Amino acid sequence: MVGIFSLVTGWPGPSGFGSSSTAEQVTQGIDGTNLTAIITGGASGIGLETSRVLALRGVHVIIGVRNVKAANEAKKTILTEIETARVDVLELDLCSIRSIRAFADNFIALNLHLNILINNAGIMFCPFQLSQDGIEVQFATNHIGHFLLTELLLDKMKNTVKTTGIQGRIVNLSSIAHTHCYKNGIRFDHINAKDGYNDKRAYGQSKLANILHANELSRRLQEEGVNVTVNSVHPGLIMTPLFRHSAVLMRGGDDLLRGPPPTAEGSHREILCRLQ
Ligand SMILES: NC(=O)c1ccc[n+]([C@@H]2O[C@H](COP(=O)([O-])OP(=O)(O)OC[C@H]3O[C@@H](n4cnc5c(N)ncnc54)[C@H](OP(=O)(O)O)[C@@H]3O)[C@@H](O)[C@H]2O)c1
């Protein structure tokens, strides 16, 4: 865990890495050729860079996305750089319970191992909206969708550990914004209420849920003696299309980075590299 001082200065933590370390530096020398990873939202921002670097280390990467066209473009970009990359795209809309179930079925039908699940996709500061299942959209996408996905893939992960003897990893992309929640934490009785909705606090609430999910799942798996770790991370502040609903942050980040603001069509890798 990197404190706020280290986060801003990039000062390395006990691992020797800090907020200014790149994914390539952190994974230097790791051979991932016998690993398979699912990355949700792996065609944009942090997810795209994660997909690229895992593929660079030989990991078979499955990108779960709602925008299959964008993901195929991302796959093409990765393959241009890394000819041997193993990257597949599967449709996944985390805002739809039906889509999540279909994704899990489709993945299981591929008959692959599953060593790593990175619950990365997310939306931030959206105006009030309900998902097609009637759940507030930030809570649905950031938490409920990943919670269900993890549940549906857990047996696959446990079987992979049994068969391969390799430790499984689940990572939830949370945020320091989990501290900026509603007054009494998660509004369990009003998750889907428009009344009192605050776009920032709703994001914080969903990110708090990501952490609680990771903590409790980790506790249960340890109790069960299953060799799968579950962690949540705050990835730092990185200008990506995540900020599309916040003109102020977009402008602030733009000044900070001295470059054009990111768009969904922009070069996400370039955006990430500006901070590295
Ligand atoms: N960037 C930061 O500074 C920062 C800080 C703290 C935490 N985080 C967390 O890091 C994670 C990645 O964020 P990012 O900055 O890389 O954002 P990003 O570039 O906007 O990427 C988010 C990804 O999530 C996907 N997504 C959104 N809704 C989805 C849905 N219903 N179903 C499937 N995929 C969906 C997006 O797909 P589309 O392209 O189709 O929209 C996109 O690929 C998020 O969980 C975010 O909360 C980021």
Side-chain angles (χ1 to χ4, degrees), residues 41 43-47 65-67 92-95 120-123 141 173-175 203 207 234-238 240-244:
S44 169
I46 296 165
V65 279
R66 57 180 171 180
N67 186 342
L92 168 68
D93 182 355
L94 285 156
C95 229
N120 161 78
I123 49 173
T141 307
L173 269 282
S174 180
S175 169
Y203 177 70
K207 292 288 138 183
H234 168 70
L237 179 65
I238 303 154
T240 67
L242 186 75
F243 291 85
R244 59 169 74 87

Short mmCIF file of all heavy atoms in Angstrom, two decimals, residues 41 43-47 65-67 92-95 120-123 141 173-175 203 207 234-238 240-244, ligand 1:
data_model
loop_
_atom_site.label_atom_id
_atom_site.label_comp_id
_atom_site.label_asym_id
_atom_site.label_seq_id
_atom_site.Cartn_x
_atom_site.Cartn_y
_atom_site.Cartn_z
N GLY A 41 -12.75 -4.53 -19.47
CA GLY A 41 -12.43 -3.18 -19.94
C GLY A 41 -10.99 -3.08 -20.41
O GLY A 41 -10.35 -2.04 -20.27
N ALA A 43 -9.66 -2.73 -23.23
CA ALA A 43 -9.39 -2.09 -24.52
C ALA A 43 -9.15 -0.60 -24.37
O ALA A 43 -9.03 0.13 -25.35
CB ALA A 43 -10.55 -2.34 -25.47
N SER A 44 -9.09 -0.13 -23.13
CA SER A 44 -8.96 1.32 -22.91
C SER A 44 -8.14 1.57 -21.65
O SER A 44 -8.09 0.74 -20.74
CB SER A 44 -10.37 1.90 -22.74
OG SER A 44 -10.31 3.23 -22.29
N GLY A 45 -7.49 2.73 -21.61
CA GLY A 45 -6.83 3.21 -20.40
C GLY A 45 -5.94 2.18 -19.71
O GLY A 45 -5.09 1.52 -20.33
N ILE A 46 -6.12 2.05 -18.41
CA ILE A 46 -5.28 1.17 -17.59
C ILE A 46 -5.41 -0.29 -18.05
O ILE A 46 -4.43 -1.03 -18.09
CB ILE A 46 -5.71 1.31 -16.10
CG1 ILE A 46 -5.44 2.73 -15.61
CG2 ILE A 46 -4.99 0.29 -15.23
CD1 ILE A 46 -6.13 3.08 -14.29
N GLY A 47 -6.64 -0.67 -18.41
CA GLY A 47 -6.88 -2.05 -18.85
C GLY A 47 -6.10 -2.38 -20.11
O GLY A 47 -5.57 -3.49 -20.25
N VAL A 65 -15.14 -7.00 -23.05
CA VAL A 65 -15.54 -5.62 -23.39
C VAL A 65 -16.95 -5.54 -23.94
O VAL A 65 -17.45 -6.50 -24.52
CB VAL A 65 -14.66 -5.01 -24.51
CG1 VAL A 65 -13.37 -4.50 -24.02
CG2 VAL A 65 -14.53 -5.96 -25.65
N ARG A 66 -17.54 -4.35 -23.78
CA ARG A 66 -18.85 -4.16 -24.43
C ARG A 66 -18.65 -3.66 -25.86
O ARG A 66 -19.48 -3.89 -26.72
CB ARG A 66 -19.73 -3.20 -23.63
CG ARG A 66 -19.12 -1.85 -23.40
CD ARG A 66 -20.04 -0.95 -22.61
NE ARG A 66 -19.36 0.27 -22.22
CZ ARG A 66 -19.91 1.23 -21.53
NH1 ARG A 66 -21.16 1.12 -21.14
NH2 ARG A 66 -19.23 2.30 -21.21
N ASN A 67 -17.54 -2.97 -26.11
CA ASN A 67 -17.28 -2.45 -27.45
C ASN A 67 -16.26 -3.36 -28.15
O ASN A 67 -15.05 -3.17 -28.08
CB ASN A 67 -16.73 -1.02 -27.34
CG ASN A 67 -16.57 -0.37 -28.70
OD1 ASN A 67 -16.53 -1.05 -29.73
ND2 ASN A 67 -16.48 0.95 -28.70
N LEU A 92 -18.67 -8.45 -23.29
CA LEU A 92 -19.09 -8.41 -21.88
C LEU A 92 -19.63 -7.02 -21.56
O LEU A 92 -18.90 -6.03 -21.64
CB LEU A 92 -17.89 -8.71 -20.97
CG LEU A 92 -18.08 -8.43 -19.48
CD1 LEU A 92 -19.09 -9.39 -18.86
CD2 LEU A 92 -16.75 -8.55 -18.73
N ASP A 93 -20.89 -6.96 -21.20
CA ASP A 93 -21.45 -5.70 -20.70
C ASP A 93 -21.74 -5.88 -19.21
O ASP A 93 -22.69 -6.59 -18.83
CB ASP A 93 -22.73 -5.34 -21.46
CG ASP A 93 -23.29 -4.00 -21.00
OD1 ASP A 93 -22.74 -3.43 -20.02
OD2 ASP A 93 -24.27 -3.53 -21.59
N LEU A 94 -20.93 -5.24 -18.39
CA LEU A 94 -21.05 -5.43 -16.94
C LEU A 94 -22.32 -4.83 -16.37
O LEU A 94 -22.64 -5.01 -15.20
CB LEU A 94 -19.82 -4.84 -16.25
CG LEU A 94 -18.57 -5.72 -16.41
CD1 LEU A 94 -17.32 -4.90 -16.27
CD2 LEU A 94 -18.58 -6.87 -15.43
N CYS A 95 -23.01 -4.08 -17.20
CA CYS A 95 -24.25 -3.45 -16.78
C CYS A 95 -25.44 -4.37 -17.02
O CYS A 95 -26.57 -3.98 -16.75
CB CYS A 95 -24.43 -2.20 -17.64
SG CYS A 95 -24.79 -0.79 -16.69
N ASN A 120 -11.31 -4.72 -13.87
CA ASN A 120 -10.77 -3.37 -14.13
C ASN A 120 -11.80 -2.37 -14.65
O ASN A 120 -11.72 -1.18 -14.32
CB ASN A 120 -9.62 -3.51 -15.16
CG ASN A 120 -9.30 -2.21 -15.84
OD1 ASN A 120 -8.63 -1.34 -15.28
ND2 ASN A 120 -9.81 -2.02 -17.06
N ALA A 121 -12.76 -2.83 -15.44
CA ALA A 121 -13.67 -1.89 -16.12
C ALA A 121 -14.36 -0.98 -15.10
O ALA A 121 -14.59 -1.37 -13.96
CB ALA A 121 -14.72 -2.65 -16.92
N GLY A 122 -14.67 0.22 -15.54
CA GLY A 122 -15.35 1.11 -14.61
C GLY A 122 -15.86 2.36 -15.29
O GLY A 122 -15.42 2.72 -16.39
N ILE A 123 -16.81 3.00 -14.63
CA ILE A 123 -17.31 4.30 -15.06
C ILE A 123 -17.31 5.21 -13.85
O ILE A 123 -17.32 4.73 -12.72
CB ILE A 123 -18.73 4.21 -15.69
CG1 ILE A 123 -19.66 3.39 -14.77
CG2 ILE A 123 -18.68 3.60 -17.08
CD1 ILE A 123 -21.11 3.40 -15.23
N THR A 141 -22.16 -1.37 -12.73
CA THR A 141 -20.96 -1.64 -13.55
C THR A 141 -19.75 -1.94 -12.69
O THR A 141 -19.06 -2.95 -12.88
CB THR A 141 -20.64 -0.40 -14.43
OG1 THR A 141 -21.81 -0.03 -15.14
CG2 THR A 141 -19.50 -0.67 -15.37
N LEU A 173 -9.96 -3.30 -9.34
CA LEU A 173 -9.51 -1.91 -9.46
C LEU A 173 -10.45 -1.03 -8.66
O LEU A 173 -11.60 -0.82 -9.05
CB LEU A 173 -9.52 -1.48 -10.93
CG LEU A 173 -8.24 -1.68 -11.75
CD1 LEU A 173 -7.21 -0.60 -11.46
CD2 LEU A 173 -7.62 -3.04 -11.58
N SER A 174 -9.97 -0.58 -7.51
CA SER A 174 -10.77 0.32 -6.70
C SER A 174 -10.22 1.74 -6.88
O SER A 174 -9.67 2.06 -7.94
CB SER A 174 -10.73 -0.12 -5.24
OG SER A 174 -11.52 0.76 -4.47
N SER A 175 -10.33 2.56 -5.85
CA SER A 175 -9.85 3.93 -5.96
C SER A 175 -9.77 4.55 -4.57
O SER A 175 -10.54 4.17 -3.67
CB SER A 175 -10.80 4.76 -6.83
OG SER A 175 -10.47 6.13 -6.73
N TYR A 203 -19.91 7.04 -7.03
CA TYR A 203 -18.67 6.41 -7.51
C TYR A 203 -17.88 5.89 -6.31
O TYR A 203 -17.45 4.74 -6.30
CB TYR A 203 -17.84 7.43 -8.30
CG TYR A 203 -16.49 6.89 -8.78
CD1 TYR A 203 -16.42 5.93 -9.78
CD2 TYR A 203 -15.29 7.34 -8.23
CE1 TYR A 203 -15.20 5.42 -10.22
CE2 TYR A 203 -14.06 6.86 -8.66
CZ TYR A 203 -14.02 5.89 -9.65
OH TYR A 203 -12.80 5.40 -10.08
N LYS A 207 -16.71 2.03 -5.34
CA LYS A 207 -15.29 1.67 -5.15
C LYS A 207 -15.07 1.11 -3.74
O LYS A 207 -14.21 0.25 -3.54
CB LYS A 207 -14.41 2.89 -5.40
CG LYS A 207 -14.40 3.32 -6.86
CD LYS A 207 -13.63 2.35 -7.71
CE LYS A 207 -14.24 2.00 -9.01
NZ LYS A 207 -13.51 1.01 -9.78
N HIS A 234 -5.60 0.89 -5.70
CA HIS A 234 -5.81 2.23 -6.26
C HIS A 234 -4.68 2.43 -7.26
O HIS A 234 -3.50 2.40 -6.86
CB HIS A 234 -5.75 3.31 -5.16
CG HIS A 234 -5.68 4.70 -5.74
ND1 HIS A 234 -6.75 5.27 -6.37
CD2 HIS A 234 -4.66 5.59 -5.81
CE1 HIS A 234 -6.39 6.48 -6.81
NE2 HIS A 234 -5.14 6.69 -6.48
N PRO A 235 -5.00 2.61 -8.54
CA PRO A 235 -3.92 2.62 -9.54
C PRO A 235 -3.16 3.93 -9.67
O PRO A 235 -2.24 4.03 -10.48
CB PRO A 235 -4.68 2.32 -10.84
CG PRO A 235 -6.04 2.89 -10.60
CD PRO A 235 -6.32 2.75 -9.14
N GLY A 236 -3.51 4.96 -8.90
CA GLY A 236 -2.89 6.27 -9.08
C GLY A 236 -3.83 7.15 -9.87
O GLY A 236 -4.98 6.78 -10.13
N LEU A 237 -3.37 8.33 -10.25
CA LEU A 237 -4.20 9.24 -11.04
C LEU A 237 -3.68 9.25 -12.47
O LEU A 237 -2.55 9.68 -12.72
CB LEU A 237 -4.16 10.66 -10.45
CG LEU A 237 -4.97 11.70 -11.22
CD1 LEU A 237 -6.46 11.38 -11.17
CD2 LEU A 237 -4.72 13.10 -10.69
N ILE A 238 -4.47 8.74 -13.37
CA ILE A 238 -4.05 8.61 -14.76
C ILE A 238 -5.15 9.14 -15.66
O ILE A 238 -6.30 8.71 -15.55
CB ILE A 238 -3.78 7.12 -15.08
CG1 ILE A 238 -2.73 6.56 -14.10
CG2 ILE A 238 -3.29 6.94 -16.51
CD1 ILE A 238 -2.82 5.09 -13.89
N THR A 240 -7.46 9.21 -18.33
CA THR A 240 -8.01 8.26 -19.30
C THR A 240 -9.44 8.70 -19.62
O THR A 240 -9.96 9.63 -18.99
CB THR A 240 -8.07 6.84 -18.69
OG1 THR A 240 -9.05 6.88 -17.62
CG2 THR A 240 -6.74 6.38 -18.13
N PRO A 241 -10.10 8.01 -20.54
CA PRO A 241 -11.50 8.39 -20.83
C PRO A 241 -12.44 8.25 -19.63
O PRO A 241 -13.59 8.67 -19.70
CB PRO A 241 -11.89 7.41 -21.95
CG PRO A 241 -10.60 7.05 -22.60
CD PRO A 241 -9.58 7.01 -21.49
N LEU A 242 -11.94 7.67 -18.53
CA LEU A 242 -12.76 7.58 -17.31
C LEU A 242 -13.26 8.94 -16.88
O LEU A 242 -14.33 9.07 -16.28
CB LEU A 242 -11.89 6.98 -16.18
CG LEU A 242 -12.58 6.66 -14.86
CD1 LEU A 242 -13.44 5.40 -15.00
CD2 LEU A 242 -11.57 6.46 -13.74
N PHE A 243 -12.48 9.97 -17.21
CA PHE A 243 -12.80 11.33 -16.74
C PHE A 243 -13.79 12.06 -17.65
O PHE A 243 -13.98 13.25 -17.51
CB PHE A 243 -11.50 12.14 -16.60
CG PHE A 243 -10.63 11.65 -15.48
CD1 PHE A 243 -9.74 10.61 -15.68
CD2 PHE A 243 -10.71 12.20 -14.21
CE1 PHE A 243 -8.95 10.13 -14.65
CE2 PHE A 243 -9.92 11.74 -13.17
CZ PHE A 243 -9.04 10.69 -13.39
N ARG A 244 -14.41 11.33 -18.56
CA ARG A 244 -15.25 12.00 -19.56
C ARG A 244 -16.43 12.76 -18.94
O ARG A 244 -16.93 13.69 -19.53
CB ARG A 244 -15.75 11.02 -20.62
CG ARG A 244 -16.57 9.87 -20.08
CD ARG A 244 -17.25 9.09 -21.21
NE ARG A 244 -16.34 8.25 -21.97
CZ ARG A 244 -15.99 7.00 -21.65
NH1 ARG A 244 -16.47 6.44 -20.57
NH2 ARG A 244 -15.19 6.29 -22.41
N1 LIG B 1 -7.69 6.63 -14.24
C1 LIG B 1 -7.56 6.88 -12.93
O1 LIG B 1 -6.95 7.86 -12.50
C2 LIG B 1 -8.16 5.93 -11.94
C3 LIG B 1 -8.01 6.23 -10.58
C4 LIG B 1 -8.57 5.35 -9.65
C5 LIG B 1 -9.21 4.22 -10.06
N2 LIG B 1 -9.36 3.95 -11.40
C6 LIG B 1 -10.08 2.72 -11.79
O2 LIG B 1 -9.35 2.05 -12.78
C7 LIG B 1 -10.25 1.32 -13.64
C8 LIG B 1 -9.89 1.58 -15.11
O3 LIG B 1 -10.12 2.95 -15.36
P1 LIG B 1 -9.46 3.72 -16.58
O4 LIG B 1 -8.95 5.00 -16.04
O5 LIG B 1 -8.57 2.86 -17.36
O6 LIG B 1 -10.80 4.08 -17.42
P2 LIG B 1 -11.19 3.91 -18.97
O7 LIG B 1 -10.02 4.20 -19.84
O8 LIG B 1 -12.44 4.68 -19.15
O9 LIG B 1 -11.48 2.36 -19.07
C9 LIG B 1 -12.60 1.80 -18.47
C10 LIG B 1 -13.02 0.60 -19.27
O10 LIG B 1 -14.22 0.07 -18.68
C11 LIG B 1 -15.09 -0.27 -19.73
N3 LIG B 1 -16.49 -0.30 -19.34
C12 LIG B 1 -17.26 0.73 -18.88
N4 LIG B 1 -18.51 0.29 -18.69
C13 LIG B 1 -18.54 -1.01 -19.04
C14 LIG B 1 -19.54 -2.01 -19.08
N5 LIG B 1 -20.83 -1.75 -18.75
N6 LIG B 1 -19.22 -3.26 -19.49
C15 LIG B 1 -17.96 -3.54 -19.85
N7 LIG B 1 -16.96 -2.65 -19.85
C16 LIG B 1 -17.25 -1.40 -19.45
C17 LIG B 1 -14.87 0.82 -20.76
O11 LIG B 1 -15.40 0.40 -21.98
P3 LIG B 1 -15.97 1.47 -23.06
O12 LIG B 1 -14.75 1.92 -23.81
O13 LIG B 1 -16.93 0.66 -23.85
O14 LIG B 1 -16.62 2.58 -22.28
C18 LIG B 1 -13.35 0.91 -20.73
O15 LIG B 1 -12.79 -0.09 -21.54
C19 LIG B 1 -11.65 1.75 -13.25
O16 LIG B 1 -12.22 0.75 -12.43
C20 LIG B 1 -11.44 3.01 -12.43
O17 LIG B 1 -12.46 3.22 -11.48
C21 LIG B 1 -8.84 4.78 -12.34
#
